[in-house]
Amino acid sequence: MSTNLVILAAGKGTRMKSDLPKVLHEVAHAPLLLHAMQAGAALSPRRTVIVAGHGAEDVTAASQGLDAKVEIVIQHEQNGTGHAVLCARGPLADAPGDTLVLYGDTPFIRAETLARMREARERFDLVVLGFEATDPGRYGRLVMDGNRLERIVEFKDASNEERKISFCNSGVILTSNSALFDLLGQVTNDNAAGEYYLTDIIGLARHAGLSCTAVACDEAETLGVNSRADLARAEAAFQARKRAEMLENGVGLSAPETVFFAHDTHIGPDTTIEPHVVFGPGVTVENGARIRAFSHLEGAHVSRGAIVGPYARLRPGTELSEDVHVGNFVEIKNAVLGPGAKANHLAYIGDASVGEQTNIGAGTITCNYDGVFKHRTEIGARAFIGSDTMLVAPVRVGDEAMTATGTVVNKDVPEGAMAIARAPQDNKPGFAKKFFAKLKARKADEIKKGE
Ligand code: UD1
Ligand code: MG
């Protein structure tokens, strides 16, 4: 059956104390909203409607950047979750199939959990996702009769007896699109909060003779983000999950708790990630590569057999071919290194291409920026770039060419040539000895005068 997705994202997130709308705060370098969209993607939704309110312009721009097909509706006043879902009636009025409601600030609902809801939906008209709360606090309580859900009572409206229930509402609901909007049309705001509760549709559904149930998930999945502390907890939960997944997939992590992944990090099996490595967004590491300690990677592709670090920095647009070695204090940006190329120490390679088997000496810098424009450096195959070479871009170094140590290269170097540009050395016999003797004598003199 086809499914539509409604994501509630209109809330202000006052406790974040931020100008950024809450759902745009990031876990693992992706906005909470993207995590919610990815969770919902488990049911392959035909339509996705995001209900924006606070910071609607930013939320709209960000959502469309994440998925051009999402539809946005604006909830001008936050009159409750029921009112929020009702705002999606415009685009979804005649949509066939089911509709799943998710919260934009609840990033961890698992695909398996949604699959279990979909299964339950085959037997029930409406399915709610619940969880056994260690501290039920102010959550809505699920009033069950066996495996049938009778209604949801909000904490504010619950009796003392109902408040003792520990089976709580996560907020996720799956039902037919037509039933959802029919029922929502009947919801009133006659309650303790004066809000239109989405949760009221369960009682209304039962009244109309529809069957309802609740599927239980782990409490950790329903973790919602309301504060910076929650966001930090969500990050920790994401990292724990991702580390376990990586180990499971054959990635070697000797100190997993010190390695940080982004939402989209891809690492092949038989790779080794040493301690204290940080992955920003957009990194792929192929099978058998090794990322050594204290390296930072983002927007980079590392091929088989490559070795990166320790203390390396790969920035966006880095493409390391097979068996490339990038060593300590080497920064690479928007550059392709061909198979077997090496840059082992202290270098900056930006806006460049480096041919296969080329060796980049210590202290080499591609001077890519003139203060206004960026320029490219092209280095051929099997070239040798001597230590402390400054490559003033735009410039080319041909195949099998070399540059002498300390050379400032501002003209192309032809294939097979050597470029040398440095002042000739002049040795002055005895100079150093005499020079230091003179300095030491002056210092002794000053000490004497001071006494
Ligand atoms: C809601 C549920 C409660 C459940 C809890 C789980 C209702 C009435 N109550 O309570 O049963 O246990 O979540 O966390 O549904 N939002 C809008 N527009 C609004 C109101 C809310 O977009 O007018 C969004 C919020 O941004 C948030 C989500 O809906 O993402 C939930 O709203 P929130 O105010 O946190 O609901 P709770 O009172 O926590
Ligand atoms: Mg809440």
Side-chain angles (χ1 to χ4, degrees):
M1 189 188 293
S2 73
T3 308
N4 309 289
L5 179 61
V6 173
I7 300 180
L8 304 190
K12 187 165 181 201
T14 314
R15 284 159 59 200
M16 298 298 287
K17 302 206 169 93
S18 170
D19 290 338
L20 193 67
K22 179 164 74 177
V23 292
L24 298 187
H25 282 268
E26 295 190 340
V27 164
H29 299 277
L32 291 171
L33 190 57
L34 181 71
H35 291 275
M37 286 161 72
Q38 283 177 343
L43 295 187
S44 322
R46 291 232 317 224
R47 311 267 297 268
T48 296
V49 179
I50 292 174
V51 183
H54 282 283
E57 266 179 41
D58 292 343
V59 172
T60 303
S63 324
Q64 285 169 344
L66 298 170
D67 176 356
K69 293 196 302 295
V70 298
E71 298 165 78
I72 315 282
V73 293
I74 310 288
Q75 186 193 25
H76 294 284
E77 270 178 71
Q78 276 66 65
N79 293 328
T81 49
H83 177 252
V85 177
L86 210 44
C87 291
R89 184 159 58 180
L92 294 181
D94 301 315
D98 274 8
T99 290
L100 173 76
V101 178
L102 287 181
Y103 293 170
D105 57 2
T106 308
F108 294 129
I109 309 289
R110 282 177 184 270
E112 301 87 77
T113 302
L114 295 180
R116 283 194 292 120
M117 288 182 75
R118 148 92 35 253
E119 244 171 67
R121 175 69 183 92
E122 283 163 20
R123 285 167 284 121
F124 292 87
D125 295 310
L126 187 154
V127 184
V128 166
L129 182 64
F131 62 102
E132 272 302 326
T134 33
D135 171 16
R138 306 186 64 79
Y139 287 118
R141 306 299 207 263
L142 300 184
V143 182
M144 303 295 292
D145 178 7
N147 67 347
R148 289 185 167 264
L149 174 63
E150 290 301 325
R151 60 200 174 88
I152 302 181
V153 55
E154 287 306 304
F155 175 80
K156 278 187 188 170
D157 303 286
S159 65
N160 283 337
E161 211 46 42
E162 287 165 334
R163 285 182 182 183
K164 285 183 194 148
I165 299 173
S166 56
F167 193 32
C168 291
N169 174 31
S170 70
V172 183
I173 291 185
L174 178 66
T175 186
S176 84
N177 185 69
S178 58
L180 177 67
F181 290 109
D182 280 353
L183 296 167
L184 277 173
Q186 302 167 41
V187 170
T188 68
N189 64 352
D190 181 16
N191 53 49
E195 286 184 0
Y196 295 87
Y197 294 159
L198 171 62
T199 45
D200 277 357
I201 67 169
I202 287 82
L204 291 165
R206 292 295 300 125
H207 196 71
L210 300 179
S211 61
C212 304
T213 194
V215 160
C217 73
D218 198 57
E219 187 169 5
E221 274 184 64
T222 68
L223 177 77
V225 173
N226 294 304
S227 62
R228 301 276 182 171
D230 289 345
L231 193 66
R233 269 192 285 277
E235 182 73 43
F238 174 92
Q239 295 300 339
R241 198 190 266 194
K242 193 85 176 171
R243 288 165 190 148
E245 209 178 283
M246 290 285 177
L247 290 165
E248 183 65 31
N249 294 345
V251 176
L253 298 168
S254 60
E257 65 289 353
T258 67
V259 176
F260 291 83
F261 298 101
H263 67 107
D264 59 352
T265 308
H266 285 289
I267 303 188
D270 264 339
T271 38
T272 301
I273 313 295
E274 293 185 4
H276 299 285
V277 171
V278 175
F279 293 92
V283 177
T284 305
V285 179
E286 305 273 357
N287 305 14
R290 184 181 191 96
I291 311 297
R292 305 204 55 202
F294 297 102
S295 294
H296 188 284
L297 296 80
E298 65 182 311
H301 176 240
V302 178
S303 303
R304 286 165 183 264
I307 301 177
V308 174
Y311 298 100
R313 178 163 186 215
L314 304 185
R315 291 173 52 204
T318 296
E319 167 71 43
L320 305 186
S321 310
E322 291 188 12
D323 303 319
V324 161
H325 291 186
V326 171
N328 41 273
F329 307 107
V330 172
E331 174 180 347
I332 302 184
K333 184 214 76 169
N334 191 28
V336 179
L337 273 63
K342 291 186 175 57
N344 273 330
H345 343 258
L346 301 161
Y348 172 62
I349 302 172
D351 302 307
S353 67
V354 176
E356 60 177 311
Q357 304 293 339
T358 282
N359 189 82
I360 306 284
T364 295
I365 290 175
T366 54
C367 310
N368 59 331
Y369 186 47
D370 57 18
V372 180
F373 296 103
K374 299 272 171 67
H375 302 282
R376 290 192 61 79
T377 301
E378 316 272 352
I379 303 172
R382 296 169 302 282
F384 181 91
I385 306 299
S387 296
D388 202 25
T389 296
M390 299 294 123
L391 295 150
V392 183
V395 75
R396 286 162 171 276
V397 177
D399 291 348
E400 284 156 39
M402 72 185 287
T403 68
T405 294
T407 292
V408 175
V409 180
N410 56 8
K411 289 197 296 251
D412 290 355
V413 184
E415 183 189 330
M418 180 186 79
I420 178 162
R422 61 188 187 210
Q425 185 171 334
D426 182 12
N427 287 342
K428 298 186 189 296
F431 179 94
K433 240 177 164 174
K434 274 189 263 169
F435 179 68
F436 286 115
K438 207 158 105 189
L439 290 186
K440 282 178 188 158
R442 193 197 294 169
K443 191 170 182 186
D445 211 34
E446 279 172 13
I447 291 169
K448 217 167 173 185
K449 272 186 197 154
E451 276 167 1

